[in-house]
Amino acid sequence: KKPVKRMLGHQQPVTHLSFSPDGRYLASASFDKKVKLWCGKTGNFLATLTGHVGHVYQVCWAPDSRLIASASKDSTLKVWEARNPKKPKTTLSGHFDAIYALDWSPNGTLIASGGKD
């Protein structure tokens, strides 16, 4: 089979990919400390989410596809708005070491994270 589209942009390895629940977006996390948003239908680049100062290990979409969370080596979890991704909506800093995993509750009111600590 032939690839549908080659999506270039990260400067270091990609660690995680996640489609939004509505299929409109694809998010990619990378060792380059960035999250990138892509069109879920065409694969076209949409935005770069910057703010982490360490590798980004995982991304996770809220159930309504409006928010995306990112987990990083810098011990922070950042929440971004998909339609306005210029800066994080919220930064959560309760961890003492790298965050490797996260997930939203089914109703989108809570987010859980797990890490090295």
Side-chain angles (χ1 to χ4, degrees), residues 3-36:
V4 175
K5 177 140 185 144
R6 188 167 180 184
M7 299 156 60
L8 303 172
H10 283 292
Q11 301 302 308
Q12 292 188 19
V14 171
T15 56
H16 191 246
L17 298 168
S18 181
F19 277 101
S20 60
D22 65 8
R24 292 183 61 201
Y25 302 102
L26 174 67
S28 57
S30 172
F31 280 173
D32 66 8
K33 307 173 190 171
K34 295 175 177 61
V35 174
K36 292 194 179 281

PDB file of all heavy atoms in Angstrom, residues 3-36:
ATOM      1  N   PRO A   3       1.464   5.283   1.078  1.00  0.00           N
ATOM      2  CA  PRO A   3       1.038   6.266   2.078  1.00  0.00           C
ATOM      3  C   PRO A   3       0.113   7.313   1.467  1.00  0.00           C
ATOM      4  O   PRO A   3       0.272   7.709   0.309  1.00  0.00           O
ATOM      5  CB  PRO A   3       2.345   6.919   2.519  1.00  0.00           C
ATOM      6  CG  PRO A   3       3.418   5.984   2.099  1.00  0.00           C
ATOM      7  CD  PRO A   3       2.899   5.232   0.911  1.00  0.00           C
ATOM      8  N   VAL A   4      -0.850   7.773   2.244  1.00  0.00           N
ATOM      9  CA  VAL A   4      -1.783   8.793   1.780  1.00  0.00           C
ATOM     10  C   VAL A   4      -1.102  10.162   1.764  1.00  0.00           C
ATOM     11  O   VAL A   4      -1.243  10.927   0.827  1.00  0.00           O
ATOM     12  CB  VAL A   4      -3.032   8.840   2.699  1.00  0.00           C
ATOM     13  CG1 VAL A   4      -3.957   9.982   2.305  1.00  0.00           C
ATOM     14  CG2 VAL A   4      -3.768   7.510   2.635  1.00  0.00           C
ATOM     15  N   LYS A   5      -0.347  10.461   2.806  1.00  0.00           N
ATOM     16  CA  LYS A   5       0.324  11.752   2.897  1.00  0.00           C
ATOM     17  C   LYS A   5       1.510  11.621   3.835  1.00  0.00           C
ATOM     18  O   LYS A   5       1.425  10.979   4.860  1.00  0.00           O
ATOM     19  CB  LYS A   5      -0.635  12.816   3.439  1.00  0.00           C
ATOM     20  CG  LYS A   5       0.001  14.162   3.631  1.00  0.00           C
ATOM     21  CD  LYS A   5      -0.920  15.255   3.216  1.00  0.00           C
ATOM     22  CE  LYS A   5      -0.223  16.583   3.308  1.00  0.00           C
ATOM     23  NZ  LYS A   5      -0.591  17.476   2.280  1.00  0.00           N
ATOM     24  N   ARG A   6       2.583  12.272   3.500  1.00  0.00           N
ATOM     25  CA  ARG A   6       3.740  12.339   4.376  1.00  0.00           C
ATOM     26  C   ARG A   6       3.692  13.683   5.092  1.00  0.00           C
ATOM     27  O   ARG A   6       3.715  14.732   4.454  1.00  0.00           O
ATOM     28  CB  ARG A   6       5.019  12.207   3.567  1.00  0.00           C
ATOM     29  CG  ARG A   6       6.209  12.085   4.450  1.00  0.00           C
ATOM     30  CD  ARG A   6       7.402  11.642   3.696  1.00  0.00           C
ATOM     31  NE  ARG A   6       8.489  11.561   4.657  1.00  0.00           N
ATOM     32  CZ  ARG A   6       9.715  11.284   4.354  1.00  0.00           C
ATOM     33  NH1 ARG A   6      10.028  11.049   3.103  1.00  0.00           N
ATOM     34  NH2 ARG A   6      10.627  11.237   5.274  1.00  0.00           N
ATOM     35  N   MET A   7       3.607  13.629   6.408  1.00  0.00           N
ATOM     36  CA  MET A   7       3.439  14.835   7.205  1.00  0.00           C
ATOM     37  C   MET A   7       4.772  15.189   7.859  1.00  0.00           C
ATOM     38  O   MET A   7       5.227  14.499   8.756  1.00  0.00           O
ATOM     39  CB  MET A   7       2.331  14.611   8.234  1.00  0.00           C
ATOM     40  CG  MET A   7       1.008  14.314   7.539  1.00  0.00           C
ATOM     41  SD  MET A   7      -0.170  13.408   8.517  1.00  0.00           S
ATOM     42  CE  MET A   7      -0.421  14.478   9.881  1.00  0.00           C
ATOM     43  N   LEU A   8       5.380  16.248   7.382  1.00  0.00           N
ATOM     44  CA  LEU A   8       6.703  16.658   7.849  1.00  0.00           C
ATOM     45  C   LEU A   8       6.588  17.893   8.730  1.00  0.00           C
ATOM     46  O   LEU A   8       5.714  18.721   8.538  1.00  0.00           O
ATOM     47  CB  LEU A   8       7.600  16.968   6.658  1.00  0.00           C
ATOM     48  CG  LEU A   8       7.784  15.835   5.649  1.00  0.00           C
ATOM     49  CD1 LEU A   8       8.537  16.331   4.439  1.00  0.00           C
ATOM     50  CD2 LEU A   8       8.495  14.668   6.298  1.00  0.00           C
ATOM     51  N   GLY A   9       7.488  18.014   9.702  1.00  0.00           N
ATOM     52  CA  GLY A   9       7.483  19.215  10.515  1.00  0.00           C
ATOM     53  C   GLY A   9       8.240  19.090  11.811  1.00  0.00           C
ATOM     54  O   GLY A   9       8.926  20.015  12.213  1.00  0.00           O
ATOM     55  N   HIS A  10       8.121  17.954  12.496  1.00  0.00           N
ATOM     56  CA  HIS A  10       8.862  17.793  13.743  1.00  0.00           C
ATOM     57  C   HIS A  10      10.346  17.640  13.449  1.00  0.00           C
ATOM     58  O   HIS A  10      10.739  17.054  12.437  1.00  0.00           O
ATOM     59  CB  HIS A  10       8.351  16.565  14.513  1.00  0.00           C
ATOM     60  CG  HIS A  10       7.055  16.804  15.219  1.00  0.00           C
ATOM     61  ND1 HIS A  10       6.930  17.649  16.292  1.00  0.00           N
ATOM     62  CD2 HIS A  10       5.820  16.292  14.993  1.00  0.00           C
ATOM     63  CE1 HIS A  10       5.674  17.641  16.710  1.00  0.00           C
ATOM     64  NE2 HIS A  10       4.977  16.842  15.936  1.00  0.00           N
ATOM     65  N   GLN A  11      11.166  18.158  14.365  1.00  0.00           N
ATOM     66  CA  GLN A  11      12.620  18.120  14.190  1.00  0.00           C
ATOM     67  C   GLN A  11      13.275  16.943  14.910  1.00  0.00           C
ATOM     68  O   GLN A  11      14.454  16.688  14.741  1.00  0.00           O
ATOM     69  CB  GLN A  11      13.233  19.430  14.689  1.00  0.00           C
ATOM     70  CG  GLN A  11      12.694  20.652  13.974  1.00  0.00           C
ATOM     71  CD  GLN A  11      12.918  20.597  12.480  1.00  0.00           C
ATOM     72  OE1 GLN A  11      14.031  20.381  12.019  1.00  0.00           O
ATOM     73  NE2 GLN A  11      11.859  20.776  11.713  1.00  0.00           N
ATOM     74  N   GLN A  12      12.501  16.228  15.732  1.00  0.00           N
ATOM     75  CA  GLN A  12      12.979  15.048  16.445  1.00  0.00           C
ATOM     76  C   GLN A  12      11.876  13.992  16.391  1.00  0.00           C
ATOM     77  O   GLN A  12      10.780  14.266  15.889  1.00  0.00           O
ATOM     78  CB  GLN A  12      13.357  15.413  17.883  1.00  0.00           C
ATOM     79  CG  GLN A  12      14.589  16.304  17.950  1.00  0.00           C
ATOM     80  CD  GLN A  12      15.083  16.516  19.373  1.00  0.00           C
ATOM     81  OE1 GLN A  12      14.764  15.773  20.287  1.00  0.00           O
ATOM     82  NE2 GLN A  12      15.872  17.556  19.563  1.00  0.00           N
ATOM     83  N   PRO A  13      12.137  12.786  16.908  1.00  0.00           N
ATOM     84  CA  PRO A  13      11.146  11.705  16.795  1.00  0.00           C
ATOM     85  C   PRO A  13       9.778  12.059  17.374  1.00  0.00           C
ATOM     86  O   PRO A  13       9.673  12.760  18.386  1.00  0.00           O
ATOM     87  CB  PRO A  13      11.783  10.564  17.591  1.00  0.00           C
ATOM     88  CG  PRO A  13      13.244  10.823  17.514  1.00  0.00           C
ATOM     89  CD  PRO A  13      13.388  12.314  17.538  1.00  0.00           C
ATOM     90  N   VAL A  14       8.763  11.563  16.712  1.00  0.00           N
ATOM     91  CA  VAL A  14       7.381  11.704  17.168  1.00  0.00           C
ATOM     92  C   VAL A  14       7.115  10.604  18.186  1.00  0.00           C
ATOM     93  O   VAL A  14       7.430   9.441  17.962  1.00  0.00           O
ATOM     94  CB  VAL A  14       6.402  11.611  15.975  1.00  0.00           C
ATOM     95  CG1 VAL A  14       4.968  11.543  16.442  1.00  0.00           C
ATOM     96  CG2 VAL A  14       6.623  12.794  15.037  1.00  0.00           C
ATOM     97  N   THR A  15       6.529  10.976  19.324  1.00  0.00           N
ATOM     98  CA  THR A  15       6.290  10.028  20.416  1.00  0.00           C
ATOM     99  C   THR A  15       4.854   9.544  20.501  1.00  0.00           C
ATOM    100  O   THR A  15       4.589   8.486  21.056  1.00  0.00           O
ATOM    101  CB  THR A  15       6.674  10.662  21.761  1.00  0.00           C
ATOM    102  OG1 THR A  15       5.943  11.886  21.912  1.00  0.00           O
ATOM    103  CG2 THR A  15       8.161  10.928  21.818  1.00  0.00           C
ATOM    104  N   HIS A  16       3.912  10.338  19.968  1.00  0.00           N
ATOM    105  CA  HIS A  16       2.507   9.937  20.070  1.00  0.00           C
ATOM    106  C   HIS A  16       1.673  10.671  19.040  1.00  0.00           C
ATOM    107  O   HIS A  16       1.976  11.809  18.674  1.00  0.00           O
ATOM    108  CB  HIS A  16       1.983  10.265  21.484  1.00  0.00           C
ATOM    109  CG  HIS A  16       0.658   9.663  21.782  1.00  0.00           C
ATOM    110  ND1 HIS A  16      -0.471  10.405  21.989  1.00  0.00           N
ATOM    111  CD2 HIS A  16       0.283   8.364  21.912  1.00  0.00           C
ATOM    112  CE1 HIS A  16      -1.490   9.605  22.241  1.00  0.00           C
ATOM    113  NE2 HIS A  16      -1.051   8.362  22.190  1.00  0.00           N
ATOM    114  N   LEU A  17       0.611  10.002  18.582  1.00  0.00           N
ATOM    115  CA  LEU A  17      -0.357  10.590  17.656  1.00  0.00           C
ATOM    116  C   LEU A  17      -1.756  10.339  18.197  1.00  0.00           C
ATOM    117  O   LEU A  17      -2.012   9.282  18.774  1.00  0.00           O
ATOM    118  CB  LEU A  17      -0.257   9.936  16.271  1.00  0.00           C
ATOM    119  CG  LEU A  17       1.058  10.085  15.527  1.00  0.00           C
ATOM    120  CD1 LEU A  17       1.084   9.150  14.329  1.00  0.00           C
ATOM    121  CD2 LEU A  17       1.247  11.523  15.080  1.00  0.00           C
ATOM    122  N   SER A  18      -2.656  11.307  17.993  1.00  0.00           N
ATOM    123  CA  SER A  18      -4.024  11.123  18.460  1.00  0.00           C
ATOM    124  C   SER A  18      -4.999  11.904  17.591  1.00  0.00           C
ATOM    125  O   SER A  18      -4.857  13.122  17.430  1.00  0.00           O
ATOM    126  CB  SER A  18      -4.143  11.586  19.919  1.00  0.00           C
ATOM    127  OG  SER A  18      -5.451  11.391  20.394  1.00  0.00           O
ATOM    128  N   PHE A  19      -6.002  11.202  17.038  1.00  0.00           N
ATOM    129  CA  PHE A  19      -7.082  11.869  16.319  1.00  0.00           C
ATOM    130  C   PHE A  19      -8.081  12.420  17.325  1.00  0.00           C
ATOM    131  O   PHE A  19      -8.368  11.774  18.341  1.00  0.00           O
ATOM    132  CB  PHE A  19      -7.824  10.896  15.396  1.00  0.00           C
ATOM    133  CG  PHE A  19      -7.165  10.696  14.067  1.00  0.00           C
ATOM    134  CD1 PHE A  19      -6.399   9.568  13.826  1.00  0.00           C
ATOM    135  CD2 PHE A  19      -7.320  11.618  13.040  1.00  0.00           C
ATOM    136  CE1 PHE A  19      -5.792   9.373  12.600  1.00  0.00           C
ATOM    137  CE2 PHE A  19      -6.715  11.431  11.811  1.00  0.00           C
ATOM    138  CZ  PHE A  19      -5.950  10.302  11.587  1.00  0.00           C
ATOM    139  N   SER A  20      -8.628  13.591  17.052  1.00  0.00           N
ATOM    140  CA  SER A  20      -9.699  14.119  17.896  1.00  0.00           C
ATOM    141  C   SER A  20     -10.926  13.222  17.733  1.00  0.00           C
ATOM    142  O   SER A  20     -11.112  12.603  16.675  1.00  0.00           O
ATOM    143  CB  SER A  20     -10.025  15.561  17.513  1.00  0.00           C
ATOM    144  OG  SER A  20     -10.447  15.661  16.169  1.00  0.00           O
ATOM    145  N   PRO A  21     -11.780  13.132  18.753  1.00  0.00           N
ATOM    146  CA  PRO A  21     -12.957  12.261  18.650  1.00  0.00           C
ATOM    147  C   PRO A  21     -13.862  12.565  17.451  1.00  0.00           C
ATOM    148  O   PRO A  21     -14.464  11.654  16.890  1.00  0.00           O
ATOM    149  CB  PRO A  21     -13.695  12.494  19.971  1.00  0.00           C
ATOM    150  CG  PRO A  21     -12.608  12.844  20.929  1.00  0.00           C
ATOM    151  CD  PRO A  21     -11.630  13.663  20.110  1.00  0.00           C
ATOM    152  N   ASP A  22     -13.927  13.838  17.037  1.00  0.00           N
ATOM    153  CA  ASP A  22     -14.765  14.173  15.876  1.00  0.00           C
ATOM    154  C   ASP A  22     -14.038  13.982  14.547  1.00  0.00           C
ATOM    155  O   ASP A  22     -14.615  14.192  13.480  1.00  0.00           O
ATOM    156  CB  ASP A  22     -15.310  15.598  15.993  1.00  0.00           C
ATOM    157  CG  ASP A  22     -14.245  16.680  15.949  1.00  0.00           C
ATOM    158  OD1 ASP A  22     -13.051  16.370  15.681  1.00  0.00           O
ATOM    159  OD2 ASP A  22     -14.592  17.850  16.180  1.00  0.00           O
ATOM    160  N   GLY A  23     -12.752  13.604  14.591  1.00  0.00           N
ATOM    161  CA  GLY A  23     -11.994  13.337  13.369  1.00  0.00           C
ATOM    162  C   GLY A  23     -11.474  14.558  12.646  1.00  0.00           C
ATOM    163  O   GLY A  23     -10.798  14.434  11.626  1.00  0.00           O
ATOM    164  N   ARG A  24     -11.743  15.751  13.168  1.00  0.00           N
ATOM    165  CA  ARG A  24     -11.320  16.971  12.472  1.00  0.00           C
ATOM    166  C   ARG A  24      -9.830  17.237  12.582  1.00  0.00           C
ATOM    167  O   ARG A  24      -9.248  17.904  11.726  1.00  0.00           O
ATOM    168  CB  ARG A  24     -12.085  18.175  13.009  1.00  0.00           C
ATOM    169  CG  ARG A  24     -13.566  18.144  12.649  1.00  0.00           C
ATOM    170  CD  ARG A  24     -14.290  19.362  13.129  1.00  0.00           C
ATOM    171  NE  ARG A  24     -13.706  20.551  12.497  1.00  0.00           N
ATOM    172  CZ  ARG A  24     -13.825  21.772  12.986  1.00  0.00           C
ATOM    173  NH1 ARG A  24     -14.457  21.982  14.106  1.00  0.00           N
ATOM    174  NH2 ARG A  24     -13.276  22.787  12.353  1.00  0.00           N
ATOM    175  N   TYR A  25      -9.204  16.758  13.660  1.00  0.00           N
ATOM    176  CA  TYR A  25      -7.797  17.056  13.915  1.00  0.00           C
ATOM    177  C   TYR A  25      -6.992  15.789  14.191  1.00  0.00           C
ATOM    178  O   TYR A  25      -7.534  14.792  14.671  1.00  0.00           O
ATOM    179  CB  TYR A  25      -7.648  17.956  15.146  1.00  0.00           C
ATOM    180  CG  TYR A  25      -8.377  19.262  15.081  1.00  0.00           C
ATOM    181  CD1 TYR A  25      -9.576  19.437  15.767  1.00  0.00           C
ATOM    182  CD2 TYR A  25      -7.872  20.336  14.360  1.00  0.00           C
ATOM    183  CE1 TYR A  25     -10.248  20.651  15.727  1.00  0.00           C
ATOM    184  CE2 TYR A  25      -8.543  21.553  14.313  1.00  0.00           C
ATOM    185  CZ  TYR A  25      -9.733  21.695  15.004  1.00  0.00           C
ATOM    186  OH  TYR A  25     -10.388  22.893  14.960  1.00  0.00           O
ATOM    187  N   LEU A  26      -5.707  15.885  13.925  1.00  0.00           N
ATOM    188  CA  LEU A  26      -4.728  14.901  14.366  1.00  0.00           C
ATOM    189  C   LEU A  26      -3.655  15.694  15.104  1.00  0.00           C
ATOM    190  O   LEU A  26      -3.195  16.725  14.614  1.00  0.00           O
ATOM    191  CB  LEU A  26      -4.099  14.165  13.177  1.00  0.00           C
ATOM    192  CG  LEU A  26      -2.940  13.208  13.508  1.00  0.00           C
ATOM    193  CD1 LEU A  26      -3.432  12.012  14.308  1.00  0.00           C
ATOM    194  CD2 LEU A  26      -2.251  12.762  12.232  1.00  0.00           C
ATOM    195  N   ALA A  27      -3.292  15.230  16.288  1.00  0.00           N
ATOM    196  CA  ALA A  27      -2.240  15.884  17.054  1.00  0.00           C
ATOM    197  C   ALA A  27      -1.035  14.963  17.122  1.00  0.00           C
ATOM    198  O   ALA A  27      -1.176  13.743  17.238  1.00  0.00           O
ATOM    199  CB  ALA A  27      -2.728  16.213  18.464  1.00  0.00           C
ATOM    200  N   SER A  28       0.159  15.550  17.063  1.00  0.00           N
ATOM    201  CA  SER A  28       1.391  14.777  17.187  1.00  0.00           C
ATOM    202  C   SER A  28       2.255  15.391  18.285  1.00  0.00           C
ATOM    203  O   SER A  28       2.376  16.605  18.391  1.00  0.00           O
ATOM    204  CB  SER A  28       2.149  14.744  15.856  1.00  0.00           C
ATOM    205  OG  SER A  28       2.435  16.052  15.391  1.00  0.00           O
ATOM    206  N   ALA A  29       2.840  14.518  19.110  1.00  0.00           N
ATOM    207  CA  ALA A  29       3.751  14.931  20.177  1.00  0.00           C
ATOM    208  C   ALA A  29       5.154  14.497  19.784  1.00  0.00           C
ATOM    209  O   ALA A  29       5.328  13.494  19.090  1.00  0.00           O
ATOM    210  CB  ALA A  29       3.346  14.273  21.492  1.00  0.00           C
ATOM    211  N   SER A  30       6.170  15.232  20.260  1.00  0.00           N
ATOM    212  CA  SER A  30       7.524  14.945  19.816  1.00  0.00           C
ATOM    213  C   SER A  30       8.576  15.275  20.864  1.00  0.00           C
ATOM    214  O   SER A  30       8.352  16.092  21.768  1.00  0.00           O
ATOM    215  CB  SER A  30       7.821  15.744  18.544  1.00  0.00           C
ATOM    216  OG  SER A  30       9.175  15.652  18.158  1.00  0.00           O
ATOM    217  N   PHE A  31       9.736  14.653  20.695  1.00  0.00           N
ATOM    218  CA  PHE A  31      10.903  14.986  21.502  1.00  0.00           C
ATOM    219  C   PHE A  31      11.376  16.415  21.244  1.00  0.00           C
ATOM    220  O   PHE A  31      12.192  16.934  21.985  1.00  0.00           O
ATOM    221  CB  PHE A  31      12.053  14.018  21.215  1.00  0.00           C
ATOM    222  CG  PHE A  31      11.942  12.688  21.906  1.00  0.00           C
ATOM    223  CD1 PHE A  31      12.847  11.691  21.603  1.00  0.00           C
ATOM    224  CD2 PHE A  31      10.978  12.418  22.853  1.00  0.00           C
ATOM    225  CE1 PHE A  31      12.791  10.462  22.223  1.00  0.00           C
ATOM    226  CE2 PHE A  31      10.904  11.195  23.486  1.00  0.00           C
ATOM    227  CZ  PHE A  31      11.811  10.212  23.174  1.00  0.00           C
ATOM    228  N   ASP A  32      10.885  17.067  20.190  1.00  0.00           N
ATOM    229  CA  ASP A  32      11.300  18.445  19.907  1.00  0.00           C
ATOM    230  C   ASP A  32      10.588  19.472  20.794  1.00  0.00           C
ATOM    231  O   ASP A  32      10.688  20.667  20.570  1.00  0.00           O
ATOM    232  CB  ASP A  32      11.149  18.785  18.424  1.00  0.00           C
ATOM    233  CG  ASP A  32       9.713  18.812  17.927  1.00  0.00           C
ATOM    234  OD1 ASP A  32       8.766  18.711  18.741  1.00  0.00           O
ATOM    235  OD2 ASP A  32       9.517  18.923  16.698  1.00  0.00           O
ATOM    236  N   LYS A  33       9.834  18.988  21.809  1.00  0.00           N
ATOM    237  CA  LYS A  33       9.156  19.824  22.808  1.00  0.00           C
ATOM    238  C   LYS A  33       7.916  20.512  22.263  1.00  0.00           C
ATOM    239  O   LYS A  33       7.409  21.463  22.854  1.00  0.00           O
ATOM    240  CB  LYS A  33      10.108  20.872  23.397  1.00  0.00           C
ATOM    241  CG  LYS A  33      11.387  20.308  23.939  1.00  0.00           C
ATOM    242  CD  LYS A  33      12.355  21.402  24.345  1.00  0.00           C
ATOM    243  CE  LYS A  33      13.718  20.802  24.658  1.00  0.00           C
ATOM    244  NZ  LYS A  33      14.735  21.811  24.856  1.00  0.00           N
ATOM    245  N   LYS A  34       7.409  20.025  21.146  1.00  0.00           N
ATOM    246  CA  LYS A  34       6.258  20.656  20.509  1.00  0.00           C
ATOM    247  C   LYS A  34       5.126  19.664  20.268  1.00  0.00           C
ATOM    248  O   LYS A  34       5.336  18.465  20.171  1.00  0.00           O
ATOM    249  CB  LYS A  34       6.674  21.279  19.176  1.00  0.00           C
ATOM    250  CG  LYS A  34       7.659  22.418  19.331  1.00  0.00           C
ATOM    251  CD  LYS A  34       8.120  22.924  17.982  1.00  0.00           C
ATOM    252  CE  LYS A  34       9.051  24.094  18.106  1.00  0.00           C
ATOM    253  NZ  LYS A  34      10.274  23.852  18.828  1.00  0.00           N
ATOM    254  N   VAL A  35       3.927  20.216  20.149  1.00  0.00           N
ATOM    255  CA  VAL A  35       2.752  19.485  19.688  1.00  0.00           C
ATOM    256  C   VAL A  35       2.363  20.142  18.383  1.00  0.00           C
ATOM    257  O   VAL A  35       2.375  21.370  18.267  1.00  0.00           O
ATOM    258  CB  VAL A  35       1.591  19.581  20.702  1.00  0.00           C
ATOM    259  CG1 VAL A  35       0.325  18.946  20.150  1.00  0.00           C
ATOM    260  CG2 VAL A  35       1.986  18.936  22.029  1.00  0.00           C
ATOM    261  N   LYS A  36       2.046  19.343  17.394  1.00  0.00           N
ATOM    262  CA  LYS A  36       1.593  19.898  16.115  1.00  0.00           C
ATOM    263  C   LYS A  36       0.178  19.424  15.851  1.00  0.00           C
ATOM    264  O   LYS A  36      -0.181  18.290  16.175  1.00  0.00           O
ATOM    265  CB  LYS A  36       2.524  19.494  14.979  1.00  0.00           C
ATOM    266  CG  LYS A  36       3.899  20.155  15.117  1.00  0.00           C
ATOM    267  CD  LYS A  36       4.715  20.062  13.855  1.00  0.00           C
ATOM    268  CE  LYS A  36       6.056  20.739  14.034  1.00  0.00           C
ATOM    269  NZ  LYS A  36       5.993  22.179  13.933  1.00  0.00           N
TER     270      LYS A  36
END
